[in-house]
Each structure stands twice: as C-alpha cells, then as structure tokens.
Amino acid sequence: KMLRLVTAGLLILSISPLGCLGKNLGSINIDGVGETFIVGPDWADPLVTVSGNGYTLSGGGRVYFAKEAADDFSDPSQYLQMDLNNKYFEYTVDLSSVPCGCNGNGYFTGMPANQQGDLDDWYCDANAVGGSWCPEYDVIESNKYVVATTMHSCEGEPDNWVECDRFGCSSNSYKSEPTLLGPGDSYTINTEQPLRVSHYQDDKEAVVTLSQNGNSANFTVCADAAYNTDMAGNYKAMVFVSSLW
C-alpha cells in the first residue's frame, strides 16, 4: 500500500513508540506558506520518501508539517500551525495503491498539546491518542474506493480541552454519489490516476471538491449548521498530520 501526496495551492497548506526520537525527513514548498518541513518519528524514516515537492508513505508511516527542521520533539513550537478559516487548501493525491481496508489520511489537529504526552511529540486529537484531547479536522480519510471527511469538535478551550466528539460530523464521496469516485473509467474520478483535492471551510460550511482531467465533483462535509459554526472556532491554528495504516 502506498499513499502519495503532492502539495500545492493557496494554502495546504501509525502511532510512534513511547519515547521515540523525531526526525526531519525533508521539506516541500507550499504556495502561500513557503518552505515547510516534513517531520516524523524516527521509526517512520524508511516508510517516508520526500521528493518532487511531495511525499510518499509506503506501508505505513506518520508525518507532521513543521516550520523548523528539527530532529527531536522537544520544542512544541516547531510545528506549523495554519489558519484554515475562510480559506482554500488543495493538493494532488495518488490513491491507486491504497486498497480496501487501508486508510491514507491527512488531518489537522489543535497541536501542540499542553503536555508532551505518551508519544513524546505533543500530539493530541479527538480520541485523546497519546493522552491529550483537542479538536480534529480529518480532511481526507481514503483509499481507492472512497474519500471521507470528518470534523470533530471539543468541549473546553485551548490548553484545557475536556472531551471531544469522537464520532464527529462527516460525509464521504460514496454517500454523496456512489459513482463519484473509484477505480476505473466508470467513475467520475478514477482513482487509478492521481486526483486533485480542494477543501474550503468557514463558519457555515466545509466543502470538498475532487477534480481530474476536466471532471469535477464536490460534497458538503457536515449538514449541521451549529456544528460548522462551533468547529470554525478551531480553524485559526491547526497542525497538519498524515499517516497510512
């Protein structure tokens, strides 16, 4: 299984063992942001290839976007926090080698946590993996048969999140239209070829647009207006994480 993500656009912009070391795996250039470093736990090094202004995860791996080329996780300020509200971000992704049962994903969380945590990397998410809660915006959870997006809001406030909505508010390409995405020419978006993914989010909606070779389709992530408004309060500073499992 393999996931390849090539970043571009206005803004774009696995769990590590206890006590793992961090590692700078390379860098990419993001339009509207500049040089961005791809960092991850040291065990992910053989599973991640950074090249051609993108990265490939092969057989697993986990990476973060950082503003510094650090080889450890001691400084929580090394991570690149992005303001997503009322903005588009987009990328090209190749799902052709990600089969059913696998998840090639990219998501934003409210990192860094207020403690280094069980994983020693300041990680947090809506399931308190590593020991800390924080809002999570799963922009793409995918394989060659489906693309799903989920937002997870939390109770509390930054540095003091009490609990999060583990299930979240979500939608996916199949729910929107069964023939929207899949392997083969019978689908609007053929996952045997790379595809372009664009996201827009504000306090009213979050929309995913998929495009390829002149074909385009989109779906709305969350139909709950109040949930969209609540989630938008978290978009100001979120860190991008990507993994394959």
Side-chain angles (χ1 to χ4, degrees):
K1 55 186 179 181
M2 179 179 293
L3 171 71
R4 176 159 177 78
L5 179 73
V6 180
T7 62
L10 174 64
L11 174 69
I12 177 171
L13 306 180
S14 119
I15 299 173
S16 51
L18 181 65
C20 71
L21 299 174
K23 185 172 180 62
N24 172 40
L25 303 169
S27 68
I28 58 176
N29 187 71
I30 299 175
D31 292 348
V33 176
E35 186 174 21
T36 299
F37 296 94
I38 307 297
V39 302
D42 55 352
W43 59 262
D45 185 19
L47 304 174
V48 181
T49 302
V50 180
S51 65
N53 206 40
Y55 64 87
T56 301
L57 302 179
S58 302
R62 176 172 171 172
V63 297
Y64 307 92
F65 281 5
K67 58 185 178 182
E68 299 175 6
D71 279 324
D72 62 68
F73 291 131
S74 60
D75 182 6
S77 68
Q78 71 178 343
Y79 296 110
L80 176 64
Q81 291 182 307
M82 293 182 172
D83 181 358
L84 307 174
N85 195 39
N86 198 31
K87 292 182 173 69
Y88 290 89
F89 61 95
E90 61 181 29
Y91 49 88
T92 297
V93 65
D94 184 350
L95 302 174
S96 61
S97 297
V98 185
C100 182
C102 293
N103 180 6
N105 62 70
Y107 58 102
F108 290 91
T109 84
M111 290 176 63
N114 60 2
Q115 58 182 344
Q116 203 159 357
D118 297 342
L119 310 177
D120 283 351
D121 59 359
W122 308 95
Y123 181 77
C124 61
D125 66 18
N127 286 284
V129 173
S132 297
W133 298 100
C134 69
E136 179 179 344
Y137 179 28
D138 303 321
V139 291
I140 182 169
E141 294 181 292
S142 62
N143 54 48
K144 64 169 63 179
Y145 297 97
V146 69
V147 165
T149 303
T150 307
M151 53 181 67
H152 303 266
S153 63
C154 301
E155 297 179 6
E157 59 188 17
D159 294 329
N160 190 31
W161 297 111
V162 179
E163 188 176 16
C164 300
D165 178 7
R166 293 172 183 261
F167 183 75
C169 189
S170 67
S171 191
N172 61 66
S173 56
Y174 185 86
K175 182 178 179 180
S176 174
E177 169 55 56
T179 61
L180 191 158
L181 175 142
D185 293 333
S186 62
Y187 294 92
T188 303
I189 304 297
N190 179 3
T191 53
E192 293 177 344
Q193 304 173 18
L195 59 132
R196 194 74 171 167
V197 186
S198 176
H199 303 268
Y200 174 82
Q201 54 286 311
D202 60 21
D203 61 354
K204 297 181 178 61
E205 64 178 356
V207 179
V208 180
T209 301
L210 308 174
S211 58
Q212 180 187 70
N213 300 330
N215 295 325
S216 182
N218 62 65
F219 61 89
T220 299
V221 176
C222 179
D224 186 329
Y227 207 107
N228 279 288
T229 300
D230 185 36
M231 189 65 190
N234 304 306
Y235 289 147
K236 187 174 182 179
M238 302 192 87
V239 174
F240 185 79
V241 186
S242 183
S243 64
L244 176 65
W245 47 270

Short mmCIF file of all heavy atoms in Angstrom, two decimals, residues 176-234:
data_model
loop_
_atom_site.label_atom_id
_atom_site.label_comp_id
_atom_site.label_asym_id
_atom_site.label_seq_id
_atom_site.Cartn_x
_atom_site.Cartn_y
_atom_site.Cartn_z
N SER A 176 -22.29 10.80 -1.09
CA SER A 176 -22.71 11.88 -1.97
C SER A 176 -23.23 11.35 -3.30
O SER A 176 -24.27 11.78 -3.79
CB SER A 176 -21.53 12.83 -2.21
OG SER A 176 -21.84 13.81 -3.18
N GLU A 177 -22.48 10.40 -3.87
CA GLU A 177 -22.86 9.80 -5.16
C GLU A 177 -22.03 8.53 -5.35
O GLU A 177 -20.80 8.60 -5.42
CB GLU A 177 -22.60 10.78 -6.30
CG GLU A 177 -22.70 10.19 -7.69
CD GLU A 177 -24.05 9.49 -7.94
OE1 GLU A 177 -25.08 10.18 -7.76
OE2 GLU A 177 -24.05 8.31 -8.27
N PRO A 178 -22.65 7.35 -5.41
CA PRO A 178 -21.90 6.10 -5.48
C PRO A 178 -20.91 6.01 -6.63
O PRO A 178 -19.90 5.29 -6.52
CB PRO A 178 -23.00 5.04 -5.62
CG PRO A 178 -24.19 5.65 -4.95
CD PRO A 178 -24.10 7.12 -5.27
N THR A 179 -21.16 6.72 -7.73
CA THR A 179 -20.24 6.66 -8.86
C THR A 179 -19.29 7.85 -8.92
O THR A 179 -18.62 8.07 -9.92
CB THR A 179 -21.01 6.58 -10.19
OG1 THR A 179 -21.83 7.75 -10.33
CG2 THR A 179 -21.89 5.34 -10.23
N LEU A 180 -19.21 8.60 -7.81
CA LEU A 180 -18.36 9.79 -7.81
C LEU A 180 -16.88 9.41 -7.91
O LEU A 180 -16.13 10.02 -8.66
CB LEU A 180 -18.62 10.61 -6.54
CG LEU A 180 -18.03 12.03 -6.45
CD1 LEU A 180 -18.81 12.85 -5.44
CD2 LEU A 180 -16.55 12.02 -6.06
N LEU A 181 -16.46 8.39 -7.16
CA LEU A 181 -15.04 8.08 -7.07
C LEU A 181 -14.83 6.58 -6.92
O LEU A 181 -15.57 5.91 -6.19
CB LEU A 181 -14.43 8.81 -5.87
CG LEU A 181 -12.97 8.53 -5.51
CD1 LEU A 181 -12.28 9.81 -5.06
CD2 LEU A 181 -12.88 7.48 -4.38
N GLY A 182 -13.83 6.05 -7.63
CA GLY A 182 -13.48 4.65 -7.54
C GLY A 182 -12.51 4.27 -8.64
O GLY A 182 -12.18 5.09 -9.52
N PRO A 183 -12.02 3.04 -8.64
CA PRO A 183 -11.05 2.62 -9.65
C PRO A 183 -11.73 2.27 -10.97
O PRO A 183 -12.61 1.41 -11.02
CB PRO A 183 -10.41 1.38 -9.02
CG PRO A 183 -11.47 0.85 -8.10
CD PRO A 183 -12.23 2.03 -7.60
N GLY A 184 -11.36 2.97 -12.03
CA GLY A 184 -11.91 2.67 -13.35
C GLY A 184 -12.59 3.86 -14.00
O GLY A 184 -12.98 4.83 -13.34
N ASP A 185 -12.76 3.79 -15.30
CA ASP A 185 -13.33 4.89 -16.06
C ASP A 185 -14.84 5.06 -15.87
O ASP A 185 -15.42 6.04 -16.33
CB ASP A 185 -13.04 4.69 -17.56
CG ASP A 185 -11.56 4.82 -17.87
OD1 ASP A 185 -10.86 5.54 -17.12
OD2 ASP A 185 -11.10 4.23 -18.87
N SER A 186 -15.50 4.13 -15.20
CA SER A 186 -16.93 4.26 -14.96
C SER A 186 -17.24 5.28 -13.86
O SER A 186 -18.39 5.66 -13.67
CB SER A 186 -17.54 2.91 -14.59
OG SER A 186 -16.96 2.40 -13.40
N TYR A 187 -16.20 5.72 -13.15
CA TYR A 187 -16.37 6.70 -12.08
C TYR A 187 -16.00 8.10 -12.57
O TYR A 187 -15.12 8.25 -13.43
CB TYR A 187 -15.49 6.35 -10.88
CG TYR A 187 -15.90 5.06 -10.20
CD1 TYR A 187 -15.32 3.84 -10.58
CD2 TYR A 187 -16.84 5.06 -9.19
CE1 TYR A 187 -15.69 2.66 -9.96
CE2 TYR A 187 -17.22 3.88 -8.56
CZ TYR A 187 -16.64 2.69 -8.95
OH TYR A 187 -17.01 1.52 -8.33
N THR A 188 -16.66 9.11 -12.02
CA THR A 188 -16.32 10.50 -12.37
C THR A 188 -14.85 10.78 -12.06
O THR A 188 -14.14 11.41 -12.86
CB THR A 188 -17.21 11.48 -11.57
OG1 THR A 188 -18.59 11.18 -11.84
CG2 THR A 188 -16.91 12.92 -11.96
N ILE A 189 -14.39 10.33 -10.90
CA ILE A 189 -12.98 10.46 -10.51
C ILE A 189 -12.39 9.05 -10.43
O ILE A 189 -12.81 8.22 -9.62
CB ILE A 189 -12.84 11.16 -9.14
CG1 ILE A 189 -13.53 12.53 -9.16
CG2 ILE A 189 -11.38 11.28 -8.75
CD1 ILE A 189 -12.93 13.53 -10.13
N ASN A 190 -11.44 8.77 -11.30
CA ASN A 190 -10.83 7.45 -11.41
C ASN A 190 -9.58 7.38 -10.52
O ASN A 190 -8.57 8.03 -10.79
CB ASN A 190 -10.45 7.18 -12.86
CG ASN A 190 -9.78 5.84 -13.07
OD1 ASN A 190 -9.62 5.05 -12.14
ND2 ASN A 190 -9.38 5.56 -14.30
N THR A 191 -9.66 6.59 -9.46
CA THR A 191 -8.54 6.54 -8.50
C THR A 191 -7.36 5.72 -8.99
O THR A 191 -6.36 5.58 -8.27
CB THR A 191 -9.03 5.98 -7.15
OG1 THR A 191 -9.69 4.73 -7.36
CG2 THR A 191 -9.98 6.95 -6.47
N GLU A 192 -7.43 5.21 -10.20
CA GLU A 192 -6.24 4.59 -10.78
C GLU A 192 -5.27 5.65 -11.29
O GLU A 192 -4.15 5.33 -11.70
CB GLU A 192 -6.65 3.65 -11.92
CG GLU A 192 -7.43 2.43 -11.42
CD GLU A 192 -7.90 1.54 -12.55
OE1 GLU A 192 -7.90 2.01 -13.71
OE2 GLU A 192 -8.27 0.38 -12.27
N GLN A 193 -5.70 6.91 -11.25
CA GLN A 193 -4.86 8.05 -11.63
C GLN A 193 -4.86 9.07 -10.49
O GLN A 193 -5.78 9.10 -9.67
CB GLN A 193 -5.41 8.71 -12.89
CG GLN A 193 -5.57 7.79 -14.08
CD GLN A 193 -6.27 8.48 -15.23
OE1 GLN A 193 -6.35 9.71 -15.30
NE2 GLN A 193 -6.80 7.69 -16.15
N PRO A 194 -3.83 9.93 -10.42
CA PRO A 194 -3.82 10.98 -9.40
C PRO A 194 -5.03 11.90 -9.53
O PRO A 194 -5.57 12.09 -10.63
CB PRO A 194 -2.52 11.74 -9.70
CG PRO A 194 -1.65 10.73 -10.39
CD PRO A 194 -2.59 9.91 -11.23
N LEU A 195 -5.48 12.45 -8.44
CA LEU A 195 -6.61 13.36 -8.43
C LEU A 195 -6.29 14.58 -7.60
O LEU A 195 -5.42 14.55 -6.72
CB LEU A 195 -7.87 12.67 -7.90
CG LEU A 195 -7.80 12.10 -6.48
CD1 LEU A 195 -9.02 12.52 -5.67
CD2 LEU A 195 -7.73 10.58 -6.56
N ARG A 196 -6.99 15.65 -7.89
CA ARG A 196 -6.82 16.91 -7.17
C ARG A 196 -7.91 17.03 -6.13
O ARG A 196 -9.08 16.76 -6.40
CB ARG A 196 -6.91 18.08 -8.15
CG ARG A 196 -6.42 19.41 -7.58
CD ARG A 196 -4.93 19.44 -7.49
NE ARG A 196 -4.41 20.75 -7.14
CZ ARG A 196 -3.16 20.97 -6.77
NH1 ARG A 196 -2.31 19.95 -6.71
NH2 ARG A 196 -2.74 22.17 -6.48
N VAL A 197 -7.52 17.41 -4.91
CA VAL A 197 -8.48 17.58 -3.81
C VAL A 197 -8.37 19.01 -3.29
O VAL A 197 -7.28 19.50 -3.02
CB VAL A 197 -8.20 16.59 -2.67
CG1 VAL A 197 -9.31 16.68 -1.62
CG2 VAL A 197 -8.07 15.17 -3.19
N SER A 198 -9.51 19.67 -3.17
CA SER A 198 -9.56 21.04 -2.66
C SER A 198 -10.56 21.11 -1.51
O SER A 198 -11.63 20.51 -1.58
CB SER A 198 -9.97 22.01 -3.77
OG SER A 198 -10.10 23.33 -3.27
N HIS A 199 -10.19 21.84 -0.46
CA HIS A 199 -11.06 21.98 0.70
C HIS A 199 -11.30 23.47 0.97
O HIS A 199 -10.40 24.28 0.87
CB HIS A 199 -10.41 21.39 1.96
CG HIS A 199 -10.05 19.94 1.83
ND1 HIS A 199 -10.89 18.93 2.19
CD2 HIS A 199 -8.91 19.35 1.38
CE1 HIS A 199 -10.30 17.76 1.97
NE2 HIS A 199 -9.09 17.99 1.48
N TYR A 200 -12.54 23.76 1.33
CA TYR A 200 -12.88 25.12 1.80
C TYR A 200 -13.71 24.97 3.06
O TYR A 200 -14.60 24.12 3.14
CB TYR A 200 -13.68 25.89 0.75
CG TYR A 200 -14.15 27.24 1.27
CD1 TYR A 200 -13.29 28.33 1.27
CD2 TYR A 200 -15.43 27.39 1.81
CE1 TYR A 200 -13.69 29.54 1.79
CE2 TYR A 200 -15.84 28.61 2.33
CZ TYR A 200 -14.97 29.68 2.31
OH TYR A 200 -15.37 30.89 2.84
N GLN A 201 -13.44 25.81 4.05
CA GLN A 201 -14.19 25.77 5.29
C GLN A 201 -14.31 27.16 5.90
O GLN A 201 -13.38 27.97 5.83
CB GLN A 201 -13.55 24.82 6.29
CG GLN A 201 -12.08 25.08 6.58
CD GLN A 201 -11.18 24.65 5.44
OE1 GLN A 201 -11.30 23.53 4.94
NE2 GLN A 201 -10.30 25.53 5.01
N ASP A 202 -15.49 27.44 6.45
CA ASP A 202 -15.72 28.66 7.21
C ASP A 202 -16.73 28.35 8.30
O ASP A 202 -16.92 27.18 8.65
CB ASP A 202 -16.18 29.81 6.29
CG ASP A 202 -17.47 29.51 5.54
OD1 ASP A 202 -18.24 28.63 5.98
OD2 ASP A 202 -17.72 30.15 4.51
N ASP A 203 -17.37 29.36 8.86
CA ASP A 203 -18.29 29.10 9.97
C ASP A 203 -19.67 28.63 9.52
O ASP A 203 -20.54 28.39 10.35
CB ASP A 203 -18.42 30.35 10.84
CG ASP A 203 -18.99 31.54 10.11
OD1 ASP A 203 -19.19 31.46 8.87
OD2 ASP A 203 -19.25 32.57 10.75
N LYS A 204 -19.86 28.45 8.23
CA LYS A 204 -21.15 28.00 7.70
C LYS A 204 -21.07 26.63 7.03
O LYS A 204 -22.06 25.89 7.01
CB LYS A 204 -21.71 29.02 6.72
CG LYS A 204 -22.02 30.36 7.34
CD LYS A 204 -22.59 31.31 6.29
CE LYS A 204 -22.96 32.65 6.92
NZ LYS A 204 -21.79 33.34 7.51
N GLU A 205 -19.93 26.29 6.46
CA GLU A 205 -19.83 25.04 5.70
C GLU A 205 -18.38 24.60 5.54
O GLU A 205 -17.45 25.38 5.75
CB GLU A 205 -20.45 25.22 4.31
CG GLU A 205 -19.70 26.23 3.45
CD GLU A 205 -20.27 26.39 2.06
OE1 GLU A 205 -21.22 25.66 1.72
OE2 GLU A 205 -19.76 27.25 1.31
N ALA A 206 -18.23 23.35 5.16
CA ALA A 206 -16.95 22.80 4.73
C ALA A 206 -17.26 21.96 3.49
O ALA A 206 -18.14 21.10 3.52
CB ALA A 206 -16.31 21.95 5.81
N VAL A 207 -16.54 22.24 2.39
CA VAL A 207 -16.82 21.60 1.11
C VAL A 207 -15.55 20.96 0.57
O VAL A 207 -14.48 21.56 0.59
CB VAL A 207 -17.37 22.63 0.09
CG1 VAL A 207 -17.64 21.95 -1.25
CG2 VAL A 207 -18.63 23.28 0.62
N VAL A 208 -15.69 19.74 0.08
CA VAL A 208 -14.59 19.02 -0.55
C VAL A 208 -14.87 18.94 -2.05
O VAL A 208 -15.95 18.53 -2.46
CB VAL A 208 -14.46 17.59 0.01
CG1 VAL A 208 -13.30 16.86 -0.66
CG2 VAL A 208 -14.28 17.62 1.51
N THR A 209 -13.90 19.34 -2.86
CA THR A 209 -14.02 19.27 -4.32
C THR A 209 -12.93 18.35 -4.86
O THR A 209 -11.75 18.51 -4.56
CB THR A 209 -13.89 20.66 -4.96
OG1 THR A 209 -14.90 21.52 -4.43
CG2 THR A 209 -14.05 20.56 -6.47
N LEU A 210 -13.35 17.37 -5.66
CA LEU A 210 -12.44 16.42 -6.29
C LEU A 210 -12.43 16.69 -7.78
O LEU A 210 -13.49 16.85 -8.39
CB LEU A 210 -12.89 14.99 -6.02
CG LEU A 210 -13.15 14.62 -4.56
CD1 LEU A 210 -13.73 13.21 -4.46
CD2 LEU A 210 -11.89 14.74 -3.73
N SER A 211 -11.28 16.74 -8.40
CA SER A 211 -11.20 17.02 -9.83
C SER A 211 -10.11 16.20 -10.48
O SER A 211 -9.12 15.81 -9.85
CB SER A 211 -10.97 18.52 -10.08
OG SER A 211 -9.79 18.96 -9.44
N GLN A 212 -10.32 15.96 -11.80
CA GLN A 212 -9.37 15.12 -12.56
C GLN A 212 -9.73 15.19 -14.04
O GLN A 212 -10.87 14.94 -14.43
CB GLN A 212 -9.46 13.68 -12.06
CG GLN A 212 -8.56 12.68 -12.73
CD GLN A 212 -8.89 11.26 -12.26
OE1 GLN A 212 -9.94 10.72 -12.59
NE2 GLN A 212 -7.99 10.69 -11.47
N ASN A 213 -8.77 15.55 -14.85
CA ASN A 213 -8.93 15.52 -16.31
C ASN A 213 -10.21 16.20 -16.80
O ASN A 213 -10.92 15.68 -17.66
CB ASN A 213 -8.90 14.07 -16.81
CG ASN A 213 -7.61 13.36 -16.48
OD1 ASN A 213 -6.55 13.98 -16.39
ND2 ASN A 213 -7.69 12.05 -16.26
N GLY A 214 -10.52 17.35 -16.24
CA GLY A 214 -11.70 18.09 -16.66
C GLY A 214 -12.98 17.70 -15.94
O GLY A 214 -14.00 18.38 -16.09
N ASN A 215 -12.96 16.62 -15.19
CA ASN A 215 -14.13 16.21 -14.40
C ASN A 215 -14.01 16.77 -12.98
O ASN A 215 -12.91 16.87 -12.42
CB ASN A 215 -14.23 14.68 -14.31
CG ASN A 215 -14.49 14.05 -15.66
OD1 ASN A 215 -15.19 14.63 -16.49
ND2 ASN A 215 -13.93 12.87 -15.89
N SER A 216 -15.15 17.12 -12.40
CA SER A 216 -15.16 17.69 -11.06
C SER A 216 -16.44 17.32 -10.33
O SER A 216 -17.50 17.22 -10.94
CB SER A 216 -15.01 19.22 -11.13
OG SER A 216 -14.97 19.79 -9.84
N ALA A 217 -16.32 17.11 -9.03
CA ALA A 217 -17.48 16.82 -8.19
C ALA A 217 -17.16 17.28 -6.78
O ALA A 217 -16.00 17.35 -6.38
CB ALA A 217 -17.81 15.33 -8.21
N ASN A 218 -18.19 17.59 -6.00
CA ASN A 218 -17.95 18.03 -4.63
C ASN A 218 -19.01 17.50 -3.69
O ASN A 218 -20.07 17.04 -4.12
CB ASN A 218 -17.87 19.56 -4.56
CG ASN A 218 -19.15 20.24 -4.98
OD1 ASN A 218 -20.18 20.09 -4.33
ND2 ASN A 218 -19.09 20.99 -6.07
N PHE A 219 -18.71 17.55 -2.40
CA PHE A 219 -19.70 17.20 -1.39
C PHE A 219 -19.47 18.04 -0.14
O PHE A 219 -18.36 18.50 0.13
CB PHE A 219 -19.68 15.70 -1.05
CG PHE A 219 -18.39 15.17 -0.49
CD1 PHE A 219 -18.14 15.18 0.87
CD2 PHE A 219 -17.42 14.63 -1.34
CE1 PHE A 219 -16.96 14.66 1.39
CE2 PHE A 219 -16.24 14.10 -0.83
CZ PHE A 219 -16.01 14.12 0.54
N THR A 220 -20.55 18.28 0.57
CA THR A 220 -20.51 19.04 1.82
C THR A 220 -20.21 18.10 2.98
O THR A 220 -20.77 17.01 3.06
CB THR A 220 -21.85 19.76 2.06
OG1 THR A 220 -22.09 20.66 0.98
CG2 THR A 220 -21.83 20.53 3.37
N VAL A 221 -19.34 18.53 3.87
CA VAL A 221 -18.87 17.65 4.93
C VAL A 221 -19.92 17.45 6.02
O VAL A 221 -20.21 16.32 6.42
CB VAL A 221 -17.57 18.20 5.56
CG1 VAL A 221 -17.13 17.35 6.74
CG2 VAL A 221 -16.47 18.29 4.51
N CYS A 222 -20.50 18.53 6.50
CA CYS A 222 -21.38 18.46 7.67
C CYS A 222 -22.65 19.26 7.42
O CYS A 222 -22.59 20.45 7.11
CB CYS A 222 -20.66 18.99 8.90
SG CYS A 222 -21.63 18.98 10.42
N ALA A 223 -23.79 18.61 7.57
CA ALA A 223 -25.08 19.25 7.32
C ALA A 223 -25.62 19.99 8.54
O ALA A 223 -26.68 20.62 8.47
CB ALA A 223 -26.10 18.21 6.87
N ASP A 224 -24.92 19.93 9.66
CA ASP A 224 -25.35 20.55 10.90
C ASP A 224 -24.77 21.96 10.99
O ASP A 224 -23.57 22.14 11.21
CB ASP A 224 -24.88 19.69 12.08
CG ASP A 224 -25.39 20.17 13.42
OD1 ASP A 224 -25.59 21.38 13.59
OD2 ASP A 224 -25.56 19.32 14.31
N ALA A 225 -25.61 22.98 10.84
CA ALA A 225 -25.14 24.36 10.81
C ALA A 225 -24.45 24.76 12.11
O ALA A 225 -23.40 25.43 12.10
CB ALA A 225 -26.31 25.30 10.53
N ALA A 226 -25.00 24.34 13.24
CA ALA A 226 -24.41 24.69 14.52
C ALA A 226 -23.04 24.04 14.69
O ALA A 226 -22.12 24.64 15.28
CB ALA A 226 -25.34 24.27 15.66
N TYR A 227 -22.88 22.82 14.19
CA TYR A 227 -21.59 22.12 14.29
C TYR A 227 -20.54 22.85 13.47
O TYR A 227 -19.39 23.02 13.90
CB TYR A 227 -21.75 20.68 13.80
CG TYR A 227 -20.77 19.71 14.42
CD1 TYR A 227 -21.19 18.79 15.37
CD2 TYR A 227 -19.42 19.70 14.04
CE1 TYR A 227 -20.30 17.88 15.94
CE2 TYR A 227 -18.54 18.81 14.60
CZ TYR A 227 -18.97 17.90 15.55
OH TYR A 227 -18.08 17.03 16.12
N ASN A 228 -20.90 23.31 12.27
CA ASN A 228 -19.98 24.07 11.44
C ASN A 228 -19.51 25.34 12.15
O ASN A 228 -18.32 25.68 12.14
CB ASN A 228 -20.63 24.44 10.11
CG ASN A 228 -20.60 23.31 9.11
OD1 ASN A 228 -19.56 22.97 8.56
ND2 ASN A 228 -21.76 22.72 8.86
N THR A 229 -20.44 26.03 12.78
CA THR A 229 -20.10 27.26 13.50
C THR A 229 -19.17 26.98 14.66
O THR A 229 -18.18 27.69 14.88
CB THR A 229 -21.38 27.95 14.01
OG1 THR A 229 -22.23 28.27 12.89
CG2 THR A 229 -21.05 29.23 14.76
N ASP A 230 -19.46 25.93 15.40
CA ASP A 230 -18.63 25.57 16.55
C ASP A 230 -17.23 25.16 16.10
O ASP A 230 -16.23 25.57 16.70
CB ASP A 230 -19.31 24.43 17.31
CG ASP A 230 -18.58 24.07 18.59
OD1 ASP A 230 -18.05 24.99 19.24
OD2 ASP A 230 -18.53 22.88 18.94
N MET A 231 -17.15 24.38 15.03
CA MET A 231 -15.85 23.90 14.56
C MET A 231 -14.99 25.04 14.05
O MET A 231 -13.75 25.01 14.20
CB MET A 231 -16.07 22.87 13.46
CG MET A 231 -14.80 22.14 13.04
SD MET A 231 -14.11 21.13 14.39
CE MET A 231 -12.52 20.69 13.68
N ALA A 232 -15.60 26.05 13.45
CA ALA A 232 -14.84 27.15 12.85
C ALA A 232 -13.98 27.89 13.87
O ALA A 232 -12.94 28.45 13.52
CB ALA A 232 -15.78 28.12 12.16
N GLY A 233 -14.37 27.84 15.12
CA GLY A 233 -13.57 28.49 16.15
C GLY A 233 -12.22 27.84 16.36
O GLY A 233 -11.33 28.42 17.00
N ASN A 234 -12.04 26.64 15.82
CA ASN A 234 -10.77 25.92 15.97
C ASN A 234 -9.85 26.05 14.77
O ASN A 234 -8.70 25.60 14.82
CB ASN A 234 -11.06 24.43 16.19
CG ASN A 234 -11.97 24.17 17.36
OD1 ASN A 234 -11.69 24.62 18.47
ND2 ASN A 234 -13.06 23.46 17.13
#
